[in-house]
Amino acid sequence: MSESLLDHLATDRPRSDRHITFTRFGGSESLDLSRLQELAGHVAGRLAELGVVRGDRIGIHGSNSLEWVLLDLAALRLGVVTAGLEPEKFRVDPALLPRYSLRLLFTDTPVDALGVHDMAEVRRWMDAGTTPAPVSHRPGDVTTIKFTSGSTGEPKGLAATVGSIESSLRAVQQLFSHGPGDHLFVFLPLSLLQQRYWIYSALLHGHDVTISTHNAAFATLRRAAPSVVMGIPAFYEVMRRRIESLAARISPADPAAALPIAAQRFFGPRIRYLWTGSAPASPATLRFFSDVGLPIFEGYGLNETCIVTKNHPGAWRIGSVGKVVPGKEVLIDAEGVISVRGDHPVNTRYEYGPPGASEEVFGTDGTVRTGDLGYFDGDGFLYIRGRADDVIVLDNARKIVVRPIEERLRECPAVDECVIFCPFRTYLVAVVSAVGRPPDLDAITDWVTRTNATVERDERIAKIVLARERFSVANGQLTAQLKPRRAAILAAHENEVNDRTGVTRAP
């Protein structure tokens, strides 16, 4: 059996010339990686003094911070299980402790209740207490409970194993070779397990890492001068529009020539590559960044699988989600539905979820039925066509996959996000979250008209419904990873979707 990477986080002395930096509005702080490891040991000692032992669980509810990272690393040192509770998804409530079997709950939104601790306490622990000896990790041990972003209902909880985490860390390092010349920029919530991978990578492979909050990401990106940026597609869509706007100001006569200059002003001069995943990325946006000299690599994975496929230097095809990473196997059934098998499954069931949820997704050997539709090209690149649940069956028995239609509509500069529905199983209606206020309906209508002329009749959009407000996490129409919540969007616009007024084809 290979050595445990997580054991090395506590036992190997990390490079003291590499740093971790935390930024948010109002300032930043930086410390070298060896000091980070030392402080995590102190926090582990204080947790042990509070009676926390191997196998216990602690909850962490707060925005990205040094305290968040120290609690996570301290828990790894003790063999304690963390539950990352995303603030946008979970309200601070003492009831979280019994619900998720938490010994302690740490939050930056203090609540006066037994077992609930202010994150500020962690800072007071940094230079106090003794450092306990680190535990050894086994592949089947659980280190964290991660929660699905979920499009409906209460988030499902999944207990992630050491083997699955280390398999992903090894695969990513094999593909990207992060090292002392790299500086990774992370701003997505640390409650998402994969974001913590980059901290583990820094300790293991000796590179810099900057941890920002989402709100501060745009302001601090160029100042950080990273070599790698981790972002979801929506982030890159926003950056594309900002770059195009700046290029037009730099060179009104020839904006295209100024795009590389504008891109560097936002991202800095050191970008080696950009990483994206979690939701479908627009091929046009991927091409845009590649054309301005910023290679962007899309991948594919789920909470239930960790990373499955990835584009990477030397194996890169825009429109695909890359080739299968080491340690994973992708199976595609006769209906085109993807299942994933791993050498080290994340788990074989949900820790928390409604009755029947585990049986619907997990095989007894840990094989995961993803519900995504896909296919391989002749060179082994995987393409995702959409969700099996989002296939529309028309009254003429024709099956329509909505994702390609939505992707075409998102290419319209006036469209921020969109979702396709099919009332009466006869024609397609697009609910559009527009970019501008007021929305440019003429531009959207013209785009749809021109696009409709290039596709078969059943794939044409017959009606456009403008959303009354832009889809957002706050109004419940986007997940925390900015994926549309179809059911919530339909519920908010059901009358307009079902109204036949404005339909441009006979139903």
Side-chain angles (χ1 to χ4, degrees), residues 178-200:
H178 297 134
D182 279 314
H183 183 166
L184 277 64
F185 186 79
V186 176
F187 63 87
L188 294 175
L190 293 173
S191 53
L192 304 174
L193 174 60
Q194 184 172 311
Q195 302 312 304
R196 283 172 262 163
Y197 287 179
W198 313 121
I199 300 164
Y200 306 160

Side-chain angles (χ1 to χ4, degrees), residues 42-97:
H42 295 166
V43 173
R46 183 60 181 137
L47 288 174
E49 290 173 7
L50 291 174
V52 177
V53 298
R54 183 170 191 155
D56 281 347
R57 292 184 187 175
I58 62 171
I60 310 176
H61 178 284
S63 58
N64 292 358
S65 65
L66 172 60
E67 294 88 339
W68 216 118
V69 172
L70 291 176
L71 284 167
D72 182 62
L73 294 176
L76 287 175
R77 188 180 192 98
L78 294 172
V80 168
V81 178
T82 56
L85 302 167
E86 200 169 323
E88 287 77 12
K89 195 181 301 177
F90 294 92
R91 184 173 63 87
V92 178
D93 186 337
L96 291 172
L97 282 89

Side-chain angles (χ1 to χ4, degrees), residues 5 15 18 169 173 178-180 200-207:
L5 294 179
R15 294 179 60 125
R18 300 292 95 186
L169 288 170
Q173 184 63 12
H178 297 134
Y200 306 160
S201 175
L203 290 166
L204 291 168
H205 305 300
H207 58 74

Side-chain angles (χ1 to χ4, degrees), residues 330-386:
V330 171
L331 312 170
I332 301 179
D333 68 16
E335 297 296 319
V337 178
I338 296 170
S339 291
V340 176
R341 182 182 297 145
D343 293 345
H344 297 281
V346 174
N347 213 304
T348 58
R349 62 181 178 86
Y350 290 113
E351 188 81 3
Y352 302 98
S358 293
E359 292 77 9
E360 183 180 345
V361 173
F362 294 97
T364 56
D365 62 348
T367 297
V368 175
R369 185 182 188 276
T370 69
D372 292 319
L373 299 171
Y375 66 93
F376 284 106
D377 69 11
D379 295 319
F381 288 89
L382 181 66
Y383 292 76
I384 306 297
R385 299 176 58 229

Side-chain angles (χ1 to χ4, degrees), residues 120-143:
E121 289 185 51
V122 177
R123 191 167 288 269
R124 294 194 291 271
W125 298 347
M126 294 194 312
D127 288 309
T130 58
T131 298
V135 303
S136 295
H137 293 87
R138 300 175 296 270
D141 290 344
V142 170
T143 70

